[in-house]
Amino acid sequence: MALPHVLVFPLPLQGPVNCMLKLAELLCLHQEIHVTFLNTEHIQQRLLNCTDVQIRFEKYPNFKFVTVPDGLPEDNPRIGDQIRKIIEGIEEVSSPLFREMVIAACGPTCLIVDGIFTFAVDIAKEARIPLLYFDTISPCSLWTYLAVPKLIEAGEIPFKGNDLDALVNSVPGMEGVLRRRDLPSFCRAPDLDSPIIQHVIKEGKHIVQAQGVIFNTFEGLEGPILSQFRAMIPNIYAIGPLHIQIKSKLANSQCLPKTTMSNSLWKEDMSCMDWLDKHPQKSVLFVSIGSLATMSKAHFLEFWYGLVNSMTPFLWVQRPGSIIGLEEDNINNVPKELSESTKERGCIVSWAPQEEVLAHSSIGGFLTHSGWNSTLESIVEGVPMICWPYFVDQHVNSRYVGEVWKLGLDMKDICDRATVERMVRQVMEVNKIKFLERAKQMSDLAIASVAESGSSYQDLDRLIEDIRLMRI
Ligand code: UDX
């Protein structure tokens, strides 16, 4: 019997690549499993420029990177509004090359690919090898994607009228929780022809054809949703939070790297760690909108005034290109009261070592876009959140953070300076103890899930055993 050989293919974006690299490393620790990691050339180049990923993975003789083009012109920014083009590029240009790798003699014995890659079902069938989807978004948000046909059938989308606060009834298990505004952002499209809605419907039909689905989550957080999934897809592996699963496994095998474990696509500015060292415990708000989200200059100024007026020290990641219409040389051209107050109690960087920042004792809150990695990283460190979701799954995540898990506040759809100030004060002052206590409880559950005999620990063991034995 051939040695197990997994071909891993992430969606070429920061969040998914980060997750899949962590999973790949976890698989590599089992030396009898070979792992080929398929990156787009663009992502690979950025990883090589910004991290020591090459050196880190060189210690695994059973691992190799391979690359394919992504079909996009080099100057495409590959951010927020380009997501459709990114998927089209993968489908048209990368997927035929992926197919050749899969059906080649001595090809992989198992595929682990992003849940959005519907083309993988036919390729896995042709090669007669098992396919595992890894959906790197949250199960609670994926569950709403899968409910899109039900929402259409019930006439709940497209929305009739403008009331975004109306409750939604056709997502099983989420009745009374979701308002229209909490559905994935594509549900706001005025008609059903939107390519993303069509793709999501297709995704729902394909995902059930895989041999299993992997999630970066844990039972203590999403147990009820995972039960709903299991009724539809019996073979679910909930193995998160991956970033602490890998740290704990490396610590146990005494292989913890001396350098960082960064998978960043931007160079991390480590100077902010010294700045954080100068602050008291739980006093600083961390602000970041992740790798894809953008904001208008007007929103940017509202955020800035809100932060400054809250009087809370803040560390703010202003990713290059994330503020639309703000020229590089204009950044100093801001109202004096903002720049002066920022000198006093702010620190601005273009990209931070986020996992380390959130783990720093001075961090007391996180103003986030509610990307799934960011949400989990905050949960693990017991950091309460203020959520300003930008698109797709993030709208569901932020609702769960605020309403279900009670780990912070959902600021969705508004960001005037008064609201920003009020919410920052709520999380950092008025209800600080309440939020910190709740966040600590969830953090404890997260950490327990990856400890020996925890649910995520066991699911990872089962996944590895299945990869060894799985045949279709
Ligand atoms: C994308 C989608 O937009 C999101 O909805 C989905 O949940 C995942 O993929 P992204 O913007 O990449 O989101 O957000 P997120 O999933 O939070 O991932 C961002 C990653 O970048 C995190 O792991 C975070 O630690 C890292 N990061 C972010 C840094 O290392 N430094 C920073 O300064 C900011």
Side-chain angles (χ1 to χ4, degrees):
M1 204 157 77
L3 274 179
H5 172 193
V6 185
L7 178 58
V8 180
F9 189 15
L11 183 65
L13 298 173
Q14 175 71 81
V17 167
N18 187 19
C19 277
M20 292 255 195
L21 276 170
K22 283 175 168 140
L23 175 60
E25 190 161 5
L26 283 162
L27 298 179
C28 286
L29 286 169
H30 289 259
Q31 287 145 10
E32 60 273 43
I33 298 180
H34 287 257
V35 179
T36 298
F37 197 94
L38 181 56
N39 257 334
T40 63
E41 288 159 1
H42 176 87
I43 292 284
Q44 186 70 4
Q45 200 49 53
R46 286 178 62 184
L47 277 175
L48 295 180
N49 289 347
C50 300
T51 70
D52 62 354
V53 76
Q54 185 94 0
I55 298 168
R56 245 169 48 223
F57 276 92
E58 262 167 16
K59 67 173 183 278
Y60 301 113
N62 50 337
F63 176 89
K64 72 169 184 242
F65 277 119
V66 288
T67 59
V68 283
D70 64 8
L72 295 177
E74 205 35 58
D75 61 354
N76 184 299
R78 295 163 173 85
I79 54 167
D81 56 350
Q82 298 296 308
I83 197 151
R84 185 66 219 145
K85 287 209 173 107
I86 294 172
I87 296 169
E88 277 167 12
I90 293 288
E91 286 179 341
E92 284 161 25
V93 176
S94 323
S95 79
L97 300 167
F98 167 72
R99 177 182 165 275
E100 278 173 28
M101 281 174 219
V102 176
I103 61 168
C106 305
T109 59
C110 174
L111 301 177
I112 297 184
V113 308
D114 194 285
I116 214 164
F117 292 165
T118 52
F119 56 80
V121 166
D122 284 344
I123 295 174
K125 278 186 191 153
E126 185 186 354
R128 301 177 57 75
I129 57 172
L131 166 68
L132 300 175
Y133 272 128
F134 183 3
D135 243 295
T136 62
I137 61 173
S138 60
C140 63
S141 59
L142 184 66
W143 189 245
T144 63
Y145 288 22
L146 299 190
V148 164
K150 287 196 182 80
L151 288 161
I152 295 172
E153 209 180 287
E156 293 206 88
I157 57 169
F159 303 154
K160 296 182 186 76
N162 298 324
D163 180 11
L164 286 180
D165 290 319
L167 283 174
V168 170
N169 298 310
S170 309
V171 185
M174 296 187 178
E175 302 85 353
V177 172
L178 296 182
R179 303 157 301 176
R180 285 173 173 174
R181 70 170 75 250
D182 305 316
L183 285 171
S185 57
F186 51 75
C187 292
R188 298 183 188 194
D191 61 60
L192 301 173
D193 294 335
S194 126
I196 188 143
I197 291 194
Q198 291 307 317
H199 195 98
V200 162
I201 294 172
K202 195 167 146 194
E203 189 179 340
K205 289 183 185 148
H206 283 73
I207 204 159
V208 290
Q209 297 181 54
Q211 272 65 43
V213 177
I214 303 167
F215 285 123
N216 187 13
T217 193
F218 57 102
E219 288 289 334
L221 184 69
E222 292 195 276
I225 295 293
L226 290 169
S227 300
Q228 300 262 12
F229 265 104
R230 287 192 186 101
M232 181 195 266
I233 307 166
N235 199 18
I236 295 287
Y237 307 92
I239 59 170
L242 271 172
H243 68 289
I244 49 167
Q245 178 93 267
I246 182 69
K247 278 182 194 152
S248 127
K249 286 277 192 294
L250 288 172
N252 288 341
S253 66
Q254 325 253 291
C255 293
L256 213 51
K258 307 264 177 299
T259 55
T260 72
M261 292 182 58
S262 164
N263 298 320
S264 276
L265 302 180
W266 287 262
K267 260 272 182 251
E268 292 169 350
D269 182 342
M270 301 304 288
S271 67
C272 59
M273 300 308 290
D274 293 335
W275 184 86
L276 289 176
D277 285 344
K278 298 188 186 102
H279 288 81
Q281 286 225 335
K282 307 283 178 207
S283 64
V284 178
L285 182 77
F286 178 52
V287 186
S288 163
I289 58 166
S291 69
L292 295 167
T294 57
M295 62 170 78
S296 67
K297 197 173 159 193
H299 282 161
F300 169 66
L301 283 173
E302 291 304 305
F303 268 114
W304 205 342
Y305 272 108
L307 291 173
V308 159
N309 295 346
S310 75
M311 304 302 284
T312 301
F314 59 90
L315 167 59
W316 191 354
V317 177
Q318 292 175 5
R319 194 189 75 240
S322 62
I323 298 140
I324 307 292
L326 189 80
E327 308 301 332
E328 289 294 321
D329 58 353
N330 245 350
I331 192 126
N332 298 321
N333 221 355
V334 293
K336 197 152 174 256
E337 67 266 29
L338 290 183
S339 52
E340 290 296 315
S341 317
T342 302
K343 261 188 226 142
E344 268 169 41
R345 53 179 181 281
C347 174
I348 295 175
V349 292
S350 59
W351 195 252
Q354 182 168 303
E355 280 179 40
E356 285 168 64
V357 165
L358 287 168
H360 196 281
S361 61
S362 68
I363 294 292
F366 183 15
L367 201 170
T368 170
H369 69 306
S370 297
W372 189 233
N373 288 284
S374 296
T375 306
L376 280 177
E377 289 159 13
S378 203
I379 288 174
V380 164
E381 301 304 339
V383 175
M385 286 166 265
I386 300 168
C387 304
W388 188 67
Y390 172 70
F391 71 168
V392 285
D393 56 310
Q394 299 160 5
H395 286 66
V396 186
N397 298 340
S398 67
R399 180 63 169 174
Y400 266 67
V401 166
E403 190 66 20
V404 179
W405 302 323
K406 313 272 187 210
L407 296 171
L409 300 172
D410 186 5
M411 197 171 76
K412 179 178 289 146
D413 294 325
I414 31 175
C415 68
D416 59 276
R417 63 191 72 180
T419 305
V420 174
E421 179 187 343
R422 182 170 50 81
M423 292 213 168
V424 173
R425 286 185 187 276
Q426 284 290 325
V427 168
M428 301 297 290
E429 293 169 29
V430 184
N431 290 316
K432 180 174 179 162
I433 305 287
K434 184 187 90 178
F435 280 124
L436 282 174
E437 280 174 1
R438 176 72 192 140
K440 169 80 170 74
Q441 286 165 6
M442 198 56 93
S443 163
D444 288 346
L445 291 180
I447 293 164
S449 75
V450 300
E452 197 162 347
S453 83
S455 61
S456 296
Y457 182 101
Q458 289 183 354
D459 264 19
L460 178 65
D461 272 358
R462 186 167 57 85
L463 171 66
I464 288 167
E465 197 49 27
D466 287 352
I467 286 173
R468 284 206 190 111
L469 303 174
M470 209 181 250
R471 295 288 180 272
I472 57 168

